[in-house]
Amino acid sequence: MSQTVLESLNQALHRMMQADERVHLIGEDLLDPYGGAFKVSRGLSTAFEDRVWTTPISEAGFVGVAIGMAMGGLLPVVEIMFGDFVLLAADQLINHGAKYSWMYNEKVDVPLVVRLPMGGRRGYGPTHSQTLEKHFLGAPGLAIVATNPFVDSGRLLETATLYDRRPVLFVENKKMYARRQRLIDQGRCESMAARVSAGPYPTVSLSFGGFEMADVTLVAYGGMAELAVEAAERLLIEDERYCEVILPTSIQPLEMDAIAQSVARSGHLVVAEESPGAGGFGAEVISALPAAAWAALRAQPQRVSALNVPIANSPALEAATLPDVDDLLNAMRRVAPASSSRSATG
Amino acid sequence: MVAAERKEQPEQNEERIDPGARFAQMEGALSEKLYAQMRLIRRFEEQLLERFDRGLLVGTTHAYIGQEADAVGVINHLRAGDVVFSNHRCHGHYLVWGDKPEALAAELMGRSGGLVGGRGGSQHICDGGFYTNGIQGGIVPGALGLSLAKKVRGEDAVAVVFIGDGTLGQGVLYECLNMASLWGAPLLIVLEDNAWAQSTPSYREVAGSMLERARAFGLEAGEIESTDAEDIYDHFGGIIEDVRQSVRPRLEVIHTYRLCHHSRSDDQRPAEEVEARRADDPLPKQRQRVSGQRARAIEEAVEARLLKAFEAAEAQAQPSIEQLDDPLLRGMPGPHT
């Protein structure tokens, strides 16, 4: 059995702290036996007592402390208990950490990672279920990386921590922690053809029918990744049509190559995100499409996102608010009705 | 937390600056050295304001006129490896720390040879362990983090952060007082209480006691009410050494007065109040301790240096668009997955 996303992240933290004494972990309630709200930090304070800083409830303060530590030669990894709370540290991230390297003419680096457990579907209600990284999109100097089960989450975290000299928001999805990683091996992921882009933060492309068959391109990230794959599978089973799923992990800067190439093949684009869509990831993907991909589009791109309301505690209301597999399927059918698809006409 | 063995690696991409060693090597008696530094700060600021009036600079600037004794009293005690985090009113602090009026002038005039290549301007400069940012309160966590990094790496260093009376309104400051105390940070918070937060007098913005705010979190706290450079210099010598040895945070308040406006053309303070405080101007106070002949020699040297500095800055090119390179888009080193 493969590792869960949680196990992958936890083991990566153990490996990194073992290998490099500059790595420090900072956040609320991190000490064993509790080990952090979602247990990603379990065991670390026992193994590395001096390098796990359990903090008061002071997000602005300890994110700023980690910025200073990064400037001072350490490699801090901050855990925000619920990603929602990162807004308390927005000033530190946008007006301080993200700016220092550039505004000091690159005399300093801020090699900081801020881990953000985001997302809903667990009944935590309006202030503990959001997917908020879109509010940091477009802040110069800040990288945003979102993991998913189709990449090695621990390895991604290692790259961000040990090799990236920028401040990185590392987006995890709460629902995803317990999921098993579904890694790509020799161009395959289970019954799908798979491609992985080069680069430190890969984009994964998945296809049930082979990449030359694509009727529609579905771009998703983070917590929407597995829903997108499920929607692609249903599109094949129910409609006998092919969806290519593109899963970038570098959300800022946006990794557009695989998306553009897929759209050029399929002519149809659906973008999906768990947050409300306005001003978000999907809008960025659509507006960042290069001219060649626009020319290939045969219909207006479709955006799937949450309703623009807070996330309710009630399971029924939460489910109605957040985008699900049916929403993805419906959007694909809207953007690429059977009559317009290449497989149907060709 | 115990100090881990320091890992050898380049800490940052630049040299370290040692203000204490430079001060020790300066010629002359203590009184003369302090006067020379204060005179440099004062005349730098006056020339800057004059250039603003002539339209040679953009944006704004926050002059330090009246507070020069604080900078020379504190920063001359620091040494290589120590760090300073300063704020919007940073020119005086920087001139004592880095002693490069040429590079500071170029930065303020937006030139490519400025301290940060014209990217930062008045409020955002950096040089050899000296950092500034113009966001009130927001610099304190960074300074705390730097002090803790130094401690973790086994360095015998102190971080000094300069805040003002206006900063006392910011919540993140109190988060940091708490963590600094809990974690035993070698952090000195120097609060320059100049009686006014922009156009708001202290009595309208600070409730209760400045010192008790820090003491509530377990920090040592003290204060000095003076614009006498030698008093302040003597006061801080022991305090900085104590922070270094005890590895404990401390808050120190200097009650002073800002003789100039907050930034530019925004002075609504009662004229009689400002006039009365001119008697406390630290510069003539320090000049009295220096012989007339030495004072004149210092003044001539300062004028000549500043003339050259501003002329050199004005002669420099503006940064080119090629320098607007975004490291975020440039990619990063490291393994490819």
Side-chain angles (χ1 to χ4, degrees), chain A residues 21-22 50 61 65 68 71-73 92 95-96 102 104-109 163-164 166, chain B residues 1-2 5 9 12-14 115 119 125-126 132-133 138 142 145 153 175 325 328 330 332 335:
Chain A
E21 68 181 14
R22 295 173 301 168
D50 299 335
V65 164
M71 294 165 77
Q92 284 299 317
N95 275 325
H96 297 268
W102 191 89
Y104 295 153
N105 213 9
E106 297 168 48
K107 290 180 178 181
V108 298
D109 293 322
Y163 300 100
D164 202 326
R166 308 168 298 185
Chain B
M1 296 285 160
V2 299
E5 192 185 336
Q9 53 118 23
Q12 289 296 352
N13 311 332
E14 60 165 4
L115 282 168
R119 291 182 176 196
I125 58 180
C126 169
T132 76
N133 200 358
R153 290 160 61 92
E175 298 186 3
D325 182 16
L328 188 64
R330 203 187 304 144
M332 48 168 278

mmCIF file of all heavy atoms in Angstrom, chain A residues 21-22 50 61 65 68 71-73 92 95-96 102 104-109 163-164 166, chain B residues 1-2 5 9 12-14 115 119 125-126 132-133 138 142 145 153 175 325 328 330 332 335:
data_model
loop_
_atom_site.group_PDB
_atom_site.id
_atom_site.type_symbol
_atom_site.label_atom_id
_atom_site.label_comp_id
_atom_site.label_asym_id
_atom_site.label_seq_id
_atom_site.Cartn_x
_atom_site.Cartn_y
_atom_site.Cartn_z
ATOM 1 N N GLU A 21 20.301 20.732 10.103
ATOM 2 C CA GLU A 21 19.932 21.321 11.393
ATOM 3 C C GLU A 21 19.403 22.744 11.269
ATOM 4 O O GLU A 21 18.954 23.323 12.257
ATOM 5 C CB GLU A 21 21.130 21.298 12.343
ATOM 6 C CG GLU A 21 22.249 22.209 11.927
ATOM 7 C CD GLU A 21 23.432 22.135 12.885
ATOM 8 O OE1 GLU A 21 23.482 21.195 13.690
ATOM 9 O OE2 GLU A 21 24.287 23.022 12.813
ATOM 10 N N ARG A 22 19.442 23.292 10.069
ATOM 11 C CA ARG A 22 18.852 24.621 9.882
ATOM 12 C C ARG A 22 17.317 24.568 9.834
ATOM 13 O O ARG A 22 16.658 25.595 9.943
ATOM 14 C CB ARG A 22 19.363 25.254 8.589
ATOM 15 C CG ARG A 22 20.856 25.555 8.592
ATOM 16 C CD ARG A 22 21.312 26.015 7.230
ATOM 17 N NE ARG A 22 21.047 24.997 6.221
ATOM 18 C CZ ARG A 22 21.130 25.195 4.908
ATOM 19 N NH1 ARG A 22 21.455 26.378 4.442
ATOM 20 N NH2 ARG A 22 20.885 24.221 4.068
ATOM 21 N N ASP A 50 14.876 20.629 20.271
ATOM 22 C CA ASP A 50 15.330 22.021 20.234
ATOM 23 C C ASP A 50 14.903 22.760 18.990
ATOM 24 O O ASP A 50 15.137 23.956 18.868
ATOM 25 C CB ASP A 50 16.865 22.074 20.296
ATOM 26 C CG ASP A 50 17.379 21.463 21.576
ATOM 27 O OD1 ASP A 50 16.617 21.460 22.555
ATOM 28 O OD2 ASP A 50 18.525 20.990 21.579
ATOM 29 N N GLY A 61 2.746 37.255 14.604
ATOM 30 C CA GLY A 61 4.022 37.270 15.312
ATOM 31 C C GLY A 61 4.930 36.134 14.883
ATOM 32 O O GLY A 61 6.079 36.339 14.508
ATOM 33 N N VAL A 65 8.404 36.051 12.951
ATOM 34 C CA VAL A 65 9.607 35.481 13.578
ATOM 35 C C VAL A 65 10.289 34.531 12.599
ATOM 36 O O VAL A 65 11.516 34.543 12.431
ATOM 37 C CB VAL A 65 9.241 34.760 14.893
ATOM 38 C CG1 VAL A 65 10.369 33.852 15.357
ATOM 39 C CG2 VAL A 65 8.900 35.781 15.977
ATOM 40 N N GLY A 68 12.232 36.398 10.063
ATOM 41 C CA GLY A 68 13.520 36.815 10.618
ATOM 42 C C GLY A 68 14.494 35.656 10.729
ATOM 43 O O GLY A 68 15.681 35.783 10.442
ATOM 44 N N MET A 71 15.883 34.983 7.339
ATOM 45 C CA MET A 71 16.898 35.988 6.992
ATOM 46 C C MET A 71 18.187 35.742 7.752
ATOM 47 O O MET A 71 19.267 36.130 7.308
ATOM 48 C CB MET A 71 16.371 37.396 7.325
ATOM 49 C CG MET A 71 15.188 37.827 6.488
ATOM 50 S SD MET A 71 14.368 39.273 7.217
ATOM 51 C CE MET A 71 15.504 40.578 6.752
ATOM 52 N N GLY A 72 18.081 35.103 8.904
ATOM 53 C CA GLY A 72 19.239 34.852 9.755
ATOM 54 C C GLY A 72 19.901 33.513 9.511
ATOM 55 O O GLY A 72 20.712 33.080 10.323
ATOM 56 N N GLY A 73 19.549 32.830 8.431
ATOM 57 C CA GLY A 73 20.295 31.638 8.056
ATOM 58 C C GLY A 73 19.646 30.314 8.402
ATOM 59 O O GLY A 73 20.237 29.262 8.182
ATOM 60 N N GLN A 92 2.640 40.293 7.375
ATOM 61 C CA GLN A 92 4.004 39.769 7.460
ATOM 62 C C GLN A 92 4.426 39.125 6.145
ATOM 63 O O GLN A 92 5.565 39.259 5.716
ATOM 64 C CB GLN A 92 4.111 38.755 8.606
ATOM 65 C CG GLN A 92 4.163 39.401 9.975
ATOM 66 C CD GLN A 92 5.360 40.315 10.139
ATOM 67 O OE1 GLN A 92 6.468 39.979 9.742
ATOM 68 N NE2 GLN A 92 5.138 41.499 10.688
ATOM 69 N N ASN A 95 3.808 42.348 3.060
ATOM 70 C CA ASN A 95 4.560 43.600 3.243
ATOM 71 C C ASN A 95 5.964 43.392 3.797
ATOM 72 O O ASN A 95 6.739 44.342 3.883
ATOM 73 C CB ASN A 95 3.811 44.546 4.192
ATOM 74 C CG ASN A 95 2.767 45.368 3.476
ATOM 75 O OD1 ASN A 95 2.963 45.765 2.331
ATOM 76 N ND2 ASN A 95 1.652 45.618 4.137
ATOM 77 N N HIS A 96 6.262 42.184 4.216
ATOM 78 C CA HIS A 96 7.585 41.916 4.788
ATOM 79 C C HIS A 96 8.268 40.789 4.017
ATOM 80 O O HIS A 96 9.064 41.044 3.130
ATOM 81 C CB HIS A 96 7.467 41.618 6.287
ATOM 82 C CG HIS A 96 6.939 42.785 7.083
ATOM 83 N ND1 HIS A 96 7.749 43.717 7.663
ATOM 84 C CD2 HIS A 96 5.674 43.175 7.356
ATOM 85 C CE1 HIS A 96 7.011 44.642 8.272
ATOM 86 N NE2 HIS A 96 5.743 44.331 8.097
ATOM 87 N N TRP A 102 13.550 41.269 -2.925
ATOM 88 C CA TRP A 102 13.564 42.214 -4.045
ATOM 89 C C TRP A 102 13.874 43.635 -3.574
ATOM 90 O O TRP A 102 14.733 44.314 -4.127
ATOM 91 C CB TRP A 102 12.224 42.193 -4.786
ATOM 92 C CG TRP A 102 12.300 42.957 -6.078
ATOM 93 C CD1 TRP A 102 12.656 42.460 -7.298
ATOM 94 C CD2 TRP A 102 12.050 44.354 -6.275
ATOM 95 N NE1 TRP A 102 12.648 43.451 -8.226
ATOM 96 C CE2 TRP A 102 12.290 44.621 -7.638
ATOM 97 C CE3 TRP A 102 11.674 45.393 -5.427
ATOM 98 C CZ2 TRP A 102 12.140 45.906 -8.175
ATOM 99 C CZ3 TRP A 102 11.541 46.670 -5.957
ATOM 100 C CH2 TRP A 102 11.757 46.910 -7.313
ATOM 101 N N TYR A 104 15.385 44.768 -1.041
ATOM 102 C CA TYR A 104 16.759 44.948 -0.569
ATOM 103 C C TYR A 104 17.757 44.565 -1.661
ATOM 104 O O TYR A 104 18.915 44.270 -1.378
ATOM 105 C CB TYR A 104 17.019 44.124 0.689
ATOM 106 C CG TYR A 104 16.221 44.542 1.910
ATOM 107 C CD1 TYR A 104 15.905 43.623 2.903
ATOM 108 C CD2 TYR A 104 15.789 45.858 2.091
ATOM 109 C CE1 TYR A 104 15.190 43.989 4.039
ATOM 110 C CE2 TYR A 104 15.070 46.226 3.223
ATOM 111 C CZ TYR A 104 14.771 45.292 4.192
ATOM 112 O OH TYR A 104 14.067 45.649 5.316
ATOM 113 N N ASN A 105 17.294 44.581 -2.891
ATOM 114 C CA ASN A 105 18.176 44.346 -4.042
ATOM 115 C C ASN A 105 18.893 43.006 -3.945
ATOM 116 O O ASN A 105 20.050 42.876 -4.308
ATOM 117 C CB ASN A 105 19.198 45.490 -4.155
ATOM 118 C CG ASN A 105 19.555 45.789 -5.592
ATOM 119 O OD1 ASN A 105 18.939 45.268 -6.521
ATOM 120 N ND2 ASN A 105 20.564 46.618 -5.790
ATOM 121 N N GLU A 106 18.172 42.026 -3.436
ATOM 122 C CA GLU A 106 18.663 40.646 -3.353
ATOM 123 C C GLU A 106 19.887 40.483 -2.459
ATOM 124 O O GLU A 106 20.672 39.560 -2.643
ATOM 125 C CB GLU A 106 18.881 40.084 -4.757
ATOM 126 C CG GLU A 106 17.553 40.026 -5.510
ATOM 127 C CD GLU A 106 17.711 39.749 -6.986
ATOM 128 O OE1 GLU A 106 18.444 38.818 -7.303
ATOM 129 O OE2 GLU A 106 17.110 40.474 -7.793
ATOM 130 N N LYS A 107 20.042 41.373 -1.504
ATOM 131 C CA LYS A 107 21.089 41.187 -0.504
ATOM 132 C C LYS A 107 20.693 40.108 0.498
ATOM 133 O O LYS A 107 21.540 39.596 1.227
ATOM 134 C CB LYS A 107 21.351 42.490 0.254
ATOM 135 C CG LYS A 107 22.022 43.580 -0.575
ATOM 136 C CD LYS A 107 22.226 44.816 0.287
ATOM 137 C CE LYS A 107 22.932 45.922 -0.467
ATOM 138 N NZ LYS A 107 23.142 47.105 0.395
ATOM 139 N N VAL A 108 19.402 39.837 0.606
ATOM 140 C CA VAL A 108 18.936 38.814 1.546
ATOM 141 C C VAL A 108 17.977 37.858 0.832
ATOM 142 O O VAL A 108 17.360 38.212 -0.175
ATOM 143 C CB VAL A 108 18.194 39.418 2.763
ATOM 144 C CG1 VAL A 108 19.101 40.319 3.566
ATOM 145 C CG2 VAL A 108 16.953 40.177 2.320
ATOM 146 N N ASP A 109 17.882 36.658 1.381
ATOM 147 C CA ASP A 109 16.858 35.703 0.959
ATOM 148 C C ASP A 109 15.928 35.453 2.133
ATOM 149 O O ASP A 109 16.320 35.634 3.280
ATOM 150 C CB ASP A 109 17.493 34.359 0.588
ATOM 151 C CG ASP A 109 18.359 34.466 -0.652
ATOM 152 O OD1 ASP A 109 17.968 35.202 -1.565
ATOM 153 O OD2 ASP A 109 19.411 33.811 -0.682
ATOM 154 N N TYR A 163 15.469 23.869 -0.904
ATOM 155 C CA TYR A 163 16.064 24.399 -2.132
ATOM 156 C C TYR A 163 15.485 25.725 -2.590
ATOM 157 O O TYR A 163 16.109 26.420 -3.375
ATOM 158 C CB TYR A 163 15.941 23.364 -3.260
ATOM 159 C CG TYR A 163 16.633 22.084 -2.910
ATOM 160 C CD1 TYR A 163 15.921 20.983 -2.452
ATOM 161 C CD2 TYR A 163 18.023 22.002 -2.977
ATOM 162 C CE1 TYR A 163 16.565 19.811 -2.100
ATOM 163 C CE2 TYR A 163 18.677 20.837 -2.622
ATOM 164 C CZ TYR A 163 17.936 19.738 -2.185
ATOM 165 O OH TYR A 163 18.590 18.602 -1.821
ATOM 166 N N ASP A 164 14.299 26.051 -2.156
ATOM 167 C CA ASP A 164 13.678 27.288 -2.640
ATOM 168 C C ASP A 164 14.076 28.432 -1.716
ATOM 169 O O ASP A 164 13.867 28.349 -0.503
ATOM 170 C CB ASP A 164 12.144 27.125 -2.670
ATOM 171 C CG ASP A 164 11.502 28.110 -3.631
ATOM 172 O OD1 ASP A 164 12.007 29.240 -3.758
ATOM 173 O OD2 ASP A 164 10.484 27.743 -4.252
ATOM 174 N N ARG A 166 12.851 31.374 -1.809
ATOM 175 C CA ARG A 166 11.749 32.335 -1.690
ATOM 176 C C ARG A 166 10.823 31.937 -0.535
ATOM 177 O O ARG A 166 10.784 30.777 -0.150
ATOM 178 C CB ARG A 166 10.915 32.334 -2.981
ATOM 179 C CG ARG A 166 11.724 32.518 -4.230
ATOM 180 C CD ARG A 166 10.903 32.210 -5.475
ATOM 181 N NE ARG A 166 10.446 30.823 -5.497
ATOM 182 C CZ ARG A 166 9.795 30.276 -6.509
ATOM 183 N NH1 ARG A 166 9.493 30.988 -7.575
ATOM 184 N NH2 ARG A 166 9.418 29.014 -6.472
ATOM 185 N N MET B 1 15.014 25.924 24.442
ATOM 186 C CA MET B 1 15.873 25.884 23.274
ATOM 187 C C MET B 1 17.334 26.000 23.702
ATOM 188 O O MET B 1 17.693 26.884 24.458
ATOM 189 C CB MET B 1 15.559 27.066 22.358
ATOM 190 C CG MET B 1 14.168 27.027 21.801
ATOM 191 S SD MET B 1 14.018 25.812 20.503
ATOM 192 C CE MET B 1 12.245 25.600 20.498
ATOM 193 N N VAL B 2 18.158 25.153 23.215
ATOM 194 C CA VAL B 2 19.596 25.309 23.437
ATOM 195 C C VAL B 2 20.242 25.648 22.106
ATOM 196 O O VAL B 2 19.724 25.311 21.048
ATOM 197 C CB VAL B 2 20.231 24.031 24.027
ATOM 198 C CG1 VAL B 2 19.620 23.685 25.365
ATOM 199 C CG2 VAL B 2 20.107 22.875 23.072
ATOM 200 N N GLU B 5 25.027 23.718 17.452
ATOM 201 C CA GLU B 5 26.320 24.085 16.886
ATOM 202 C C GLU B 5 26.092 24.813 15.575
ATOM 203 O O GLU B 5 25.278 24.413 14.755
ATOM 204 C CB GLU B 5 27.144 22.817 16.643
ATOM 205 C CG GLU B 5 28.596 23.128 16.333
ATOM 206 C CD GLU B 5 29.368 21.868 15.975
ATOM 207 O OE1 GLU B 5 28.927 20.775 16.395
ATOM 208 O OE2 GLU B 5 30.369 21.991 15.293
ATOM 209 N N GLN B 9 27.885 28.230 6.758
ATOM 210 C CA GLN B 9 27.278 28.446 5.453
ATOM 211 C C GLN B 9 27.118 29.944 5.283
ATOM 212 O O GLN B 9 27.035 30.663 6.264
ATOM 213 C CB GLN B 9 25.915 27.764 5.360
ATOM 214 C CG GLN B 9 24.959 28.126 6.476
ATOM 215 C CD GLN B 9 23.703 28.809 6.005
ATOM 216 O OE1 GLN B 9 23.319 28.675 4.870
ATOM 217 N NE2 GLN B 9 23.077 29.546 6.873
ATOM 218 N N GLN B 12 24.069 35.360 4.494
ATOM 219 C CA GLN B 12 23.349 36.208 3.563
ATOM 220 C C GLN B 12 24.329 36.626 2.486
ATOM 221 O O GLN B 12 25.512 36.290 2.550
ATOM 222 C CB GLN B 12 22.752 37.426 4.270
ATOM 223 C CG GLN B 12 21.584 37.098 5.189
ATOM 224 C CD GLN B 12 20.369 36.531 4.464
ATOM 225 O OE1 GLN B 12 20.314 36.496 3.238
ATOM 226 N NE2 GLN B 12 19.390 36.082 5.221
ATOM 227 N N ASN B 13 23.829 37.377 1.525
ATOM 228 C CA ASN B 13 24.630 37.653 0.349
ATOM 229 C C ASN B 13 25.482 38.909 0.494
ATOM 230 O O ASN B 13 25.743 39.586 -0.474
ATOM 231 C CB ASN B 13 23.706 37.823 -0.862
ATOM 232 C CG ASN B 13 22.712 36.700 -0.941
ATOM 233 O OD1 ASN B 13 22.992 35.598 -0.485
ATOM 234 N ND2 ASN B 13 21.556 36.963 -1.512
ATOM 235 N N GLU B 14 25.876 39.279 1.669
ATOM 236 C CA GLU B 14 26.609 40.536 1.800
ATOM 237 C C GLU B 14 27.512 40.551 3.020
ATOM 238 O O GLU B 14 27.407 39.726 3.913
ATOM 239 C CB GLU B 14 25.621 41.697 1.850
ATOM 240 C CG GLU B 14 24.655 41.597 3.015
ATOM 241 C CD GLU B 14 23.947 42.901 3.265
ATOM 242 O OE1 GLU B 14 24.138 43.841 2.508
ATOM 243 O OE2 GLU B 14 23.231 42.972 4.260
ATOM 244 N N LEU B 115 21.844 52.218 -1.856
ATOM 245 C CA LEU B 115 22.042 51.069 -0.967
ATOM 246 C C LEU B 115 21.347 49.824 -1.470
ATOM 247 O O LEU B 115 21.861 48.717 -1.339
ATOM 248 C CB LEU B 115 21.513 51.408 0.435
ATOM 249 C CG LEU B 115 22.414 52.280 1.292
ATOM 250 C CD1 LEU B 115 21.655 52.779 2.512
ATOM 251 C CD2 LEU B 115 23.659 51.514 1.716
ATOM 252 N N ARG B 119 15.629 50.588 -5.270
ATOM 253 C CA ARG B 119 14.385 49.815 -5.114
ATOM 254 C C ARG B 119 13.622 50.203 -3.852
ATOM 255 O O ARG B 119 12.415 50.024 -3.779
ATOM 256 C CB ARG B 119 14.704 48.325 -5.050
ATOM 257 C CG ARG B 119 15.205 47.767 -6.356
ATOM 258 C CD ARG B 119 15.460 46.275 -6.265
ATOM 259 N NE ARG B 119 15.841 45.733 -7.557
ATOM 260 C CZ ARG B 119 15.836 44.444 -7.863
ATOM 261 N NH1 ARG B 119 15.464 43.559 -6.955
ATOM 262 N NH2 ARG B 119 16.195 44.032 -9.054
ATOM 263 N N ILE B 125 15.678 50.203 3.405
ATOM 264 C CA ILE B 125 17.096 50.059 3.067
ATOM 265 C C ILE B 125 17.692 48.865 3.813
ATOM 266 O O ILE B 125 17.086 48.320 4.740
ATOM 267 C CB ILE B 125 17.893 51.348 3.350
ATOM 268 C CG1 ILE B 125 17.780 51.749 4.811
ATOM 269 C CG2 ILE B 125 17.416 52.471 2.435
ATOM 270 C CD1 ILE B 125 18.555 53.024 5.138
ATOM 271 N N CYS B 126 18.846 48.466 3.369
ATOM 272 C CA CYS B 126 19.470 47.256 3.891
ATOM 273 C C CYS B 126 20.958 47.358 3.638
ATOM 274 O O CYS B 126 21.375 47.755 2.542
ATOM 275 C CB CYS B 126 18.884 46.042 3.153
ATOM 276 S SG CYS B 126 19.744 44.490 3.447
ATOM 277 N N THR B 132 15.482 47.937 7.205
ATOM 278 C CA THR B 132 14.381 48.815 7.604
ATOM 279 C C THR B 132 13.133 48.489 6.805
ATOM 280 O O THR B 132 13.200 47.992 5.687
ATOM 281 C CB THR B 132 14.706 50.309 7.373
ATOM 282 O OG1 THR B 132 14.607 50.603 5.965
ATOM 283 C CG2 THR B 132 16.089 50.674 7.846
ATOM 284 N N ASN B 133 12.001 48.757 7.416
ATOM 285 C CA ASN B 133 10.740 48.699 6.685
ATOM 286 C C ASN B 133 9.815 49.762 7.265
ATOM 287 O O ASN B 133 9.935 50.124 8.432
ATOM 288 C CB ASN B 133 10.102 47.312 6.778
ATOM 289 C CG ASN B 133 9.085 47.083 5.667
ATOM 290 O OD1 ASN B 133 8.824 47.956 4.852
ATOM 291 N ND2 ASN B 133 8.509 45.898 5.636
ATOM 292 N N GLY B 138 5.358 46.009 12.294
ATOM 293 C CA GLY B 138 5.621 44.794 11.532
ATOM 294 C C GLY B 138 7.071 44.367 11.519
ATOM 295 O O GLY B 138 7.376 43.208 11.232
ATOM 296 N N GLY B 142 10.279 40.270 12.739
ATOM 297 C CA GLY B 142 11.481 39.964 11.969
ATOM 298 C C GLY B 142 12.735 40.123 12.810
ATOM 299 O O GLY B 142 13.648 39.298 12.769
ATOM 300 N N GLY B 145 12.901 37.253 15.157
ATOM 301 C CA GLY B 145 13.351 36.039 14.461
ATOM 302 C C GLY B 145 14.841 36.071 14.189
ATOM 303 O O GLY B 145 15.537 35.056 14.342
ATOM 304 N N ARG B 153 22.212 29.659 16.185
ATOM 305 C CA ARG B 153 23.459 29.389 15.479
ATOM 306 C C ARG B 153 24.687 29.591 16.368
ATOM 307 O O ARG B 153 25.811 29.523 15.895
ATOM 308 C CB ARG B 153 23.538 30.279 14.238
ATOM 309 C CG ARG B 153 22.513 29.872 13.160
ATOM 310 C CD ARG B 153 22.249 30.993 12.180
ATOM 311 N NE ARG B 153 23.443 31.383 11.472
ATOM 312 C CZ ARG B 153 23.817 30.882 10.304
ATOM 313 N NH1 ARG B 153 23.076 29.974 9.723
ATOM 314 N NH2 ARG B 153 24.914 31.285 9.712
ATOM 315 N N GLU B 175 2.453 40.428 20.676
ATOM 316 C CA GLU B 175 2.743 39.020 20.375
ATOM 317 C C GLU B 175 4.244 38.769 20.518
ATOM 318 O O GLU B 175 4.674 37.734 21.026
ATOM 319 C CB GLU B 175 2.288 38.678 18.948
ATOM 320 C CG GLU B 175 0.794 38.822 18.719
ATOM 321 C CD GLU B 175 0.344 38.344 17.342
ATOM 322 O OE1 GLU B 175 1.166 37.837 16.562
ATOM 323 O OE2 GLU B 175 -0.854 38.473 17.059
ATOM 324 N N ASP B 325 13.980 42.936 -12.418
ATOM 325 C CA ASP B 325 13.978 41.504 -12.628
ATOM 326 C C ASP B 325 13.247 40.873 -11.446
ATOM 327 O O ASP B 325 13.505 41.227 -10.315
ATOM 328 C CB ASP B 325 15.449 41.075 -12.682
ATOM 329 C CG ASP B 325 15.587 39.603 -12.947
ATOM 330 O OD1 ASP B 325 14.595 38.990 -13.375
ATOM 331 O OD2 ASP B 325 16.688 39.089 -12.732
ATOM 332 N N LEU B 328 11.138 35.792 -8.559
ATOM 333 C CA LEU B 328 10.096 34.768 -8.527
ATOM 334 C C LEU B 328 9.948 34.092 -9.884
ATOM 335 O O LEU B 328 9.670 32.908 -9.988
ATOM 336 C CB LEU B 328 8.768 35.413 -8.133
ATOM 337 C CG LEU B 328 7.597 34.489 -7.861
ATOM 338 C CD1 LEU B 328 7.882 33.621 -6.656
ATOM 339 C CD2 LEU B 328 6.346 35.302 -7.638
ATOM 340 N N ARG B 330 12.306 33.928 -12.101
ATOM 341 C CA ARG B 330 13.597 33.515 -12.625
ATOM 342 C C ARG B 330 13.860 32.035 -12.361
ATOM 343 O O ARG B 330 14.860 31.492 -12.759
ATOM 344 C CB ARG B 330 14.695 34.358 -11.971
ATOM 345 C CG ARG B 330 15.964 34.429 -12.792
ATOM 346 C CD ARG B 330 17.047 35.119 -11.995
ATOM 347 N NE ARG B 330 16.638 36.436 -11.552
ATOM 348 C CZ ARG B 330 16.986 36.963 -10.387
ATOM 349 N NH1 ARG B 330 17.731 36.290 -9.537
ATOM 350 N NH2 ARG B 330 16.607 38.172 -10.062
ATOM 351 N N MET B 332 14.400 28.669 -9.791
ATOM 352 C CA MET B 332 15.123 28.406 -8.556
ATOM 353 C C MET B 332 16.054 27.236 -8.756
ATOM 354 O O MET B 332 15.835 26.381 -9.589
ATOM 355 C CB MET B 332 14.148 28.111 -7.450
ATOM 356 C CG MET B 332 13.100 27.085 -7.862
ATOM 357 S SD MET B 332 12.165 26.474 -6.495
ATOM 358 C CE MET B 332 13.279 25.239 -5.872
ATOM 359 N N PRO B 335 16.804 20.339 -6.888
ATOM 360 C CA PRO B 335 16.543 19.115 -7.626
ATOM 361 C C PRO B 335 15.226 19.205 -8.370
ATOM 362 O O PRO B 335 14.299 19.880 -7.915
ATOM 363 C CB PRO B 335 16.448 18.068 -6.523
ATOM 364 C CG PRO B 335 15.893 18.830 -5.367
ATOM 365 C CD PRO B 335 16.441 20.214 -5.466
#
